[in-house]
Amino acid sequence: LARPGVDTAAGEEFLRAAMEVLLEDAVRKGTDVTQKVCEWQEPAELRALLDLELRERGEPGGRLLRRCRDLVRYSVKTGHPRFFNQLFSGLDHHALAGRLLTEALNTSQYTYEIAPVFVLMEDVVLAKLRELVGWSGGDGIFAPGGSMSNMYAMNVARFHRFPHSRQSGNWALPRLVLFASRESHYSVLKGAAFLGIGTDNVRLVGTDDRGKMIPEELEKEIERAKTEGAQPFFVCATCGTTVLGAFDPLGAIADVCQRHSLWLHVDAAWGGSALLSGKHRHLLAGIERRADSVAWNPHKMLTVGLQCSAFLLRDGSGLLQRCHAAGATYLFQTDKFYDVTYDTGDKTPQCGRRVDCLKLWLLWKAAGTQGLARRVERAFACTRYLAEQVKRRDGFQLVLEPEFVNLCFWFVPPSLRGREGSPDYWLKLGKVAPAIKERMMKKGSMMVGYQPHGARVNFFRQIVTNPAVTKADLDFFLDEIERLGRDL
């Protein structure tokens, strides 16, 4: 015990070498358009290549560095300019520096004494996000993802309507019903199950042909629930649906919620960043007027890096604290020597909580609000360019005109062109996207997602959020789809 139990010098030497691997392999090569997006291996092959087993004896530093390189080599490079697969992509160097600092400092954001810089920073960042929503006050917290932000909204709304539920539980409440569109994120159903509300009590409201909630249908569902003896309490509107990128009409939905005294939550996890752009914030018109809470994920369009999800509240009276606080005296002592209102950890069901504000703060400091707005507008411009190219090219067909940055389209191979009236046309077309996806993954040239949607067979959903993407990457994307699918 007279000496440390770790070799600090050896540890620092390994860390310096590992940082070189990070910079060279993960950052430089991982964002190099001439490199593969992924080096595909089947699970059994990959397990053998990586030697994942854990043994009694440790391994020397040189071997560990080789393992680090292998981990990067066989991972998907989400910062690659030709990674279009998810609602997040790209690598911002300033945000990455924030993530590395967060990991190195290894603190938990629950009290001022353990995270003084970050408690103040989170307050500033959340206030700025609320300002962009259009609120002059309010509250909020960073949550571990948009799904949890939506669940926080349900829990806070239930507590706001029925404060005694915190002590008495669901058995003391009427049958609660909540409403979301058929295009809403699956976390609404998960949240209802997790909170004991039950998935049977989630009413999925009809949408129009663009995937937007129909306010008149919402009103009908609310009235139907009331006639069944249930208690409506919560509406989730979506701004930026996962597949079609639809924005629910917030003004009309807010009117319905006001008439029925319902909590209006806006799931803007995907579309919230449009608020930064004077050209596109109209997509969320009305969010400032009546929304009670908002979920917004800067880790998506702003390229902040996973994870960075803000749960924002209009209410500034301490509702979050009253809903979630347990007042643990070993952590939230009331007789501390500083102002304990800065101990914000009791606002959330979590105890340990990552510092998710730093990467966004550092990026914002570097780019400024104007730079973030340009990033959003560039994503829109990329999508508009691709949509026009899709309309000009033989064999490409838009599913619908994009309103946001979700580009949904079919590729029709030569063998199916002109056969739209044949009985098996749609069946065969539905197999094209999965076949092309397999080929691109095994080739490593790019990644893009596909899915069916309602009566529509599988189509591609291409997302551009990476500011490093160029016109050449977009042209390559369409050319590669054609190359990989021309013989199907």
Side-chain angles (χ1 to χ4, degrees):
L1 295 179
R3 293 195 298 262
V6 294
D7 186 339
T8 303
E12 289 183 0
E13 182 181 350
F14 174 79
L15 186 57
R16 277 193 293 270
M19 291 299 289
E20 282 298 318
V21 173
L22 183 150
L23 185 60
E24 181 61 31
D25 293 47
V27 175
R28 289 176 184 153
K29 291 182 180 178
T31 59
D32 184 348
V33 74
T34 67
Q35 301 290 317
K36 289 184 176 183
V37 176
C38 72
E39 191 165 324
W40 178 258
Q41 302 289 335
E42 293 296 329
E45 296 167 346
L46 185 58
R47 183 182 289 274
L49 283 167
L50 295 178
D51 184 17
L52 296 174
E53 296 305 314
L54 300 173
R55 298 182 175 85
E56 292 294 321
R57 289 183 172 274
E59 296 182 347
R63 187 178 300 174
L64 291 176
L65 287 172
R66 289 195 296 274
R67 295 200 185 284
C68 288
R69 289 193 177 91
D70 285 343
L71 294 175
V72 175
R73 177 182 177 183
Y74 295 112
S75 291
V76 174
K77 315 306 187 294
T78 66
H80 195 286
R82 293 174 183 172
F83 175 84
F84 306 109
N85 205 71
Q86 314 299 142
L87 302 185
F88 65 88
S89 67
L91 187 149
D92 182 273
H93 298 84
H94 297 95
L96 178 59
R99 291 153 70 187
L100 294 174
L101 285 168
T102 296
E103 294 302 317
L105 290 169
N106 191 39
T107 193
S108 180
Q109 185 143 347
Y110 41 44
T111 63
Y112 183 81
E113 66 178 278
I114 196 68
V117 172
F118 303 127
V119 165
L120 297 180
M121 183 183 290
E122 181 178 54
D123 186 56
V124 170
V125 174
L126 289 170
K128 192 66 177 179
L129 293 175
R130 291 195 302 271
E131 178 187 316
L132 287 165
V133 170
W135 300 336
S136 58
D139 200 356
I141 203 83
F142 277 98
S147 293
M148 291 305 299
S149 292
N150 289 339
M151 293 181 199
Y152 285 7
M154 291 181 205
N155 199 40
V156 171
R158 179 174 59 182
F159 173 78
H160 180 259
R161 186 70 170 269
F162 304 100
H164 65 283
S165 65
R166 177 181 158 91
Q167 288 79 34
S168 303
N170 284 342
W171 68 271
L173 298 179
R175 178 187 167 199
L176 301 182
V177 175
L178 62 93
F179 307 84
S181 86
R182 290 175 184 165
E183 298 290 323
S184 61
H185 193 258
Y186 67 83
S187 60
V188 175
L189 288 166
K190 285 195 171 189
F194 184 75
L195 294 170
I197 295 166
T199 57
D200 286 347
N201 296 313
V202 177
R203 303 295 173 89
L204 297 179
V205 179
T207 55
D208 63 17
D209 57 359
R210 294 197 60 85
K212 300 171 183 284
M213 184 191 291
I214 301 171
E216 294 79 10
E217 292 298 312
L218 172 62
E219 187 106 48
K220 289 178 185 176
E221 289 293 341
I222 293 169
E223 294 291 356
R224 184 177 296 117
K226 288 181 176 180
T227 62
E228 294 171 358
Q231 178 71 66
F233 81 106
F234 178 90
V235 173
C236 178
T238 309
C239 285
T241 58
T242 304
V243 178
L244 300 181
F247 285 71
D248 289 342
L250 297 183
I253 292 171
D255 291 338
V256 175
C257 290
Q258 198 161 27
R259 281 195 294 274
H260 295 275
S261 300
L262 304 182
W263 183 285
L264 174 57
H265 172 65
V266 178
D267 176 4
W270 177 214
S273 294
L275 290 167
L276 284 153
S277 167
K279 294 180 181 179
H280 302 295
R281 66 172 290 127
H282 66 88
L283 293 169
L284 298 98
I287 193 171
E288 74 289 341
R289 180 170 70 86
R290 182 60 178 81
D292 295 291
S293 57
V294 173
W296 181 353
N297 285 7
H299 70 237
K300 291 188 166 76
M301 184 169 285
L302 299 184
T303 325
V304 175
L306 291 164
Q307 60 194 23
C308 188
S309 176
F311 173 61
L312 308 174
L313 267 181
R314 172 199 290 273
D315 185 289
S317 69
L319 184 61
L320 263 179
Q321 184 83 9
R322 296 195 303 276
C323 178
H324 293 136
T329 55
Y330 53 81
L331 187 59
F332 303 110
Q333 301 94 334
T334 58
D335 56 355
K336 290 181 178 180
F337 62 93
Y338 60 84
D339 183 353
V340 294
T341 60
Y342 288 102
D343 289 355
T344 56
D346 230 7
K347 290 181 180 182
T348 165
Q350 294 176 261
C351 180
R353 190 162 65 89
R354 289 173 52 88
V355 175
D356 289 329
C357 60
L358 174 56
K359 47 187 173 278
L360 175 56
W361 179 85
L362 200 56
L363 167 59
W364 211 319
K365 278 287 192 180
T369 305
Q370 292 180 349
L372 296 181
R374 285 193 295 270
R375 188 165 291 191
V376 171
E377 288 163 6
R378 197 173 194 278
F380 275 86
C382 287
T383 304
R384 285 196 303 272
Y385 173 79
L386 272 178
E388 291 305 313
Q389 291 301 308
V390 164
K391 287 186 279 189
R392 291 191 181 106
R393 292 187 179 220
D394 291 338
F396 289 83
Q397 181 182 340
L398 285 176
V399 173
L400 77 172
E401 283 285 344
E403 179 180 41
F404 192 37
V405 297
N406 301 45
L407 185 77
C408 301
F409 68 94
W410 288 287
F411 174 70
V412 183
S415 65
L416 288 178
R417 294 175 198 171
R419 297 183 54 194
E420 288 81 0
S422 62
D424 60 351
Y425 172 80
W426 290 106
L427 178 65
K428 289 184 176 179
L429 183 60
K431 297 178 180 179
V432 171
I436 293 175
K437 177 67 177 277
E438 179 182 357
R439 291 177 176 185
M440 78 174 65
M441 291 290 290
K442 290 180 176 178
K443 184 178 178 183
S445 57
M446 63 184 193
M447 280 183 68
V448 65
Y450 72 87
Q451 67 283 301
H453 183 268
R456 300 176 175 116
V457 299
N458 284 321
F459 55 83
F460 289 108
R461 182 205 61 174
Q462 198 265 15
I463 304 292
V464 178
T465 58
N466 186 348
V469 170
T470 65
K471 179 175 173 291
D473 296 315
L474 301 177
D475 291 337
F476 174 88
F477 169 75
L478 295 178
D479 291 342
E480 185 73 345
I481 291 284
E482 194 163 8
R483 278 191 293 267
L484 296 171
R486 62 166 57 115
D487 64 339
L488 293 174

